[in-house]
Amino acid sequence: MAIQKGEVAILTLGDRTIELPIIVGTEGERAIDIARLRKETGLITLDPGFVNTGSCVSAITFVNGEQGILRYRGIPIEELVEKSSFVETAYLLINGRLPRQKELNRFRVLLNDSSLVHEDMHAFFQHFPRDSHPMGILSSMVTALRSFYPDLEGLSQSEEVNITLTRLLSKVRTMAAMSYKISRGHKIVYPREDLSYCANFLNMMFDSPVRPYHIDDDLVDALNAFWIIHADHEQNCSSAAVRLVGSGRVNLYAAISAGTAALWGPLHGGANQAVIEMLEDIQATGGDCEPFIKRAKDRNDPFRLMGFGHRVYKTYDPRAKIMKKIVDRVLPKVQSDPLLDVAMRLEEAATRDPYFLDHNLYPNIDFYAGIVLRAMGIPTNMFTVMFAIGRLPGWIAQWKEGAADPNWKLHRPRQIYVGRPLARYVPIEDRDEAYSAEACSYNAY
Ligand code: SDX
């Protein structure tokens, strides 16, 4: 990892000044290295949501939010969507370069050989309540994988990691389809050796003894593209969760389970489901987008326009542009989706609105994702699971990079305490009086 060191930042505190090194990344990003700050000044920095704070240096993914650039190991996602596959992109993210033909063939064989889920795990799926959210099932079952696939004796650490990551990449996809079939009371469909990674998923989801599933190559291509653009995105909430949990030297299954849980939220990976629910609300109230845009602009209203805005992209999310092309590819395959009309009108109205332009709020990856997934026949409550399957290579790559970093430290942020000063234990018989008086002076945080 080439990190140029050069200029310094000079911090003046009263009559003291300290110099902090500035490091420069491959694409000219600059950061003040504050590793010595507390030791030399006693101060820490405070940055809620880490808006201005980098947690690591990384060679995996590069995002330029101002220019709408996204590259995996230096390769623009537009090229990968056009020329690569999700399996090959997963190899690229995890191993740092594209695979040679033999390496790709071997990777595919390993993914196929790992695609079954231990039969004893099927009972777990059977006993989740039928209306369980698939993300809760997935997060639990990823952790459960560890119990069924403990460390293999006698293997080197890297061999162990490679087998584990291949198992995860293959079994998470199988488990997602299993949970869908079981939720509908249908027979589980097993993976097939003769199908590609994406075709296998669609077949496991939709094949049935009474209605054999027809593999549509356009939908398989669309799913490859969908998962490629979801595969990684720097230190997003869920990848940061994987790194944080991984920093405790926990096994990969547990770190991925943490990332799955982090992705579930509607402000992060759950947004693709929230977008559809919002579009359905707009449609159910007559199709007028304006009241929703009005609410989104009202600072006293916590409502957010789902699928809009991004912590990093302050222009169009390049993935949203690709997703829109995927929509054009898959929709002719199915009857037109009325929500697409609502989505396009909402995009048109919001991207012309001064509030959205002033706040740099543009459609993000999730805005059209739901339309694509609906066209594939994926149920709404599985949309975030689809995001998780796509993001898995990125989580694994981030975990691996963290684990291999010689300077890696246990993630343990500091804080500024704003609670009550030194207090004494109050015997229970004195609390009515003590706390009535104190309540006037102490604001509970
Ligand atoms: C993903 O990090 C990643 O890379 C994530 C992701 C990935 O690949 O991993 O790209 C995937 O999570 C995409 C984002 C999906 N989430 C949504 O679509 C939910 C809706 N979006 C917002 O909640 C919001 O835009 C966030 C959470 C995505 C980003 O919010 P920030 O960067 O924390 O910005 P903010 O909440 O501080 O908002 C800044 C201003 C605020 O107004 P002011 O208080 O300054 O006046 O912009 C406003 C916000 O009110 N704003 C919105 C808005 N998003 C931000 N107003 C209305 N609708 C929105 N969607």
Side-chain angles (χ1 to χ4, degrees), residues 233 236 266-269 271 296 299 304-311 319 355 359 361 364-366 387 391:
H233 212 249
N236 60 86
L267 295 191
H268 187 21
R299 297 194 65 177
R304 288 279 196 278
L305 215 54
M306 292 289 114
F308 276 81
H310 198 277
R311 174 63 57 79
R319 302 167 299 177
Y355 169 90
H359 284 78
L361 300 176
N364 58 46
I365 186 170
D366 292 303
F387 193 144
R391 183 53 51 88

Side-chain angles (χ1 to χ4, degrees), residues 90-106:
Y91 186 101
L92 168 71
L93 283 166
I94 292 168
N95 297 290
R97 60 164 174 78
L98 291 166
R100 298 181 184 88
Q101 188 60 59
K102 278 200 308 190
E103 292 164 329
L104 183 58
N105 296 344
R106 170 117 184 89

Side-chain angles (χ1 to χ4, degrees), residues 290 293 297 348-358:
E290 283 312 316
I293 290 176
K297 291 157 57 173
E348 169 74 15
T351 50
R352 277 181 313 159
D353 186 295
Y355 169 90
F356 286 83
L357 296 175
D358 294 347

Side-chain angles (χ1 to χ4, degrees), residues 60-80:
I60 300 169
T61 293
F62 172 67
V63 173
N64 179 311
E66 284 66 36
Q67 297 172 29
I69 293 172
L70 173 54
R71 301 179 197 147
Y72 298 156
R73 300 289 186 181
I75 303 175
I77 55 160
E78 293 81 1
E79 269 198 77
L80 291 167

Side-chain angles (χ1 to χ4, degrees), residues 88-376:
E88 186 179 68
T89 300
Y91 186 101
L92 168 71
L93 283 166
I94 292 168
N95 297 290
R97 60 164 174 78
L98 291 166
R100 298 181 184 88
Q101 188 60 59
K102 278 200 308 190
E103 292 164 329
L104 183 58
N105 296 344
R106 170 117 184 89
F107 191 47
R108 285 193 175 125
V109 166
L110 285 175
L111 287 171
N112 175 70
D113 293 351
S114 303
S115 56
L116 290 173
V117 170
H118 197 295
E119 289 291 321
D120 290 354
M121 290 188 82
H122 292 202
F124 283 54
F125 286 95
Q126 298 290 357
H127 292 92
F128 279 102
R130 281 284 181 262
D131 59 353
S132 302
H133 195 287
M135 282 299 278
I137 296 174
L138 184 63
S139 183
S140 316
M141 297 310 284
V142 167
T143 306
L145 280 173
R146 172 79 170 123
S147 306
F148 286 88
Y149 300 95
D151 285 349
L152 301 165
E153 298 303 325
L155 287 185
S156 70
Q157 216 249 346
S158 68
E159 285 167 330
E160 177 68 39
V161 166
N162 280 333
I163 289 175
T164 301
L165 69 86
T166 313
R167 280 174 172 158
L168 274 162
L169 285 170
S170 197
K171 294 180 194 304
V172 164
R173 170 205 49 177
T174 305
M175 293 196 299
M178 280 172 66
S179 70
Y180 171 65
K181 282 297 196 187
I182 290 169
S183 72
R184 301 190 56 170
H186 289 182
K187 194 170 171 331
I188 289 172
V189 175
Y190 281 77
R192 284 171 31 185
E193 186 272 338
D194 62 320
L195 294 179
S196 70
Y197 186 94
C198 293
N200 242 320
F201 174 77
L202 293 172
N203 190 62
M204 288 190 278
M205 283 286 288
F206 302 119
D207 190 41
S208 118
V210 295
R211 183 186 290 254
Y213 180 68
H214 164 65
I215 307 282
D216 180 325
D217 289 341
D218 286 341
L219 289 188
V220 173
D221 291 346
L223 184 53
N224 259 303
F226 180 91
W227 276 338
I228 285 172
I229 64 175
H230 281 82
D232 194 49
H233 212 249
E234 294 188 343
Q235 304 312 311
N236 60 86
C237 176
S238 52
S239 296
V242 169
R243 278 188 177 251
L244 184 138
V245 169
S247 76
R249 294 288 181 246
V250 78
N251 63 77
L252 181 54
Y253 296 106
I256 298 301
S257 178
T260 308
L263 187 74
W264 195 352
L267 295 191
H268 187 21
N272 53 20
Q273 176 174 344
V275 167
I276 290 294
E277 289 161 355
M278 176 186 70
L279 295 176
E280 286 170 339
D281 287 349
I282 294 174
Q283 189 186 33
T285 51
D288 182 1
C289 303
E290 283 312 316
F292 291 80
I293 290 176
K294 189 163 177 286
R295 280 192 61 197
K297 291 157 57 173
D298 178 357
R299 297 194 65 177
N300 300 315
D301 188 333
F303 175 76
R304 288 279 196 278
L305 215 54
M306 292 289 114
F308 276 81
H310 198 277
R311 174 63 57 79
V312 176
Y313 289 121
K314 299 311 171 191
T315 181
Y316 239 92
D317 182 338
R319 302 167 299 177
K321 292 179 184 170
I322 294 171
M323 194 69 82
K324 191 99 176 281
K325 288 181 187 158
I326 300 172
V327 167
D328 298 341
R329 187 191 300 170
V330 298
L331 273 196
K333 298 280 165 193
V334 291
Q335 73 284 0
S336 72
D337 186 338
L339 291 189
L340 177 62
D341 304 334
V342 177
M344 291 172 78
R345 280 190 284 113
L346 178 60
E347 180 188 11
E348 169 74 15
T351 50
R352 277 181 313 159
D353 186 295
Y355 169 90
F356 286 83
L357 296 175
D358 294 347
H359 284 78
N360 297 313
L361 300 176
Y362 295 88
N364 58 46
I365 186 170
D366 292 303
F367 187 65
Y368 283 108
I371 303 285
V372 171
L373 295 172
R374 277 162 63 98
M376 289 180 191

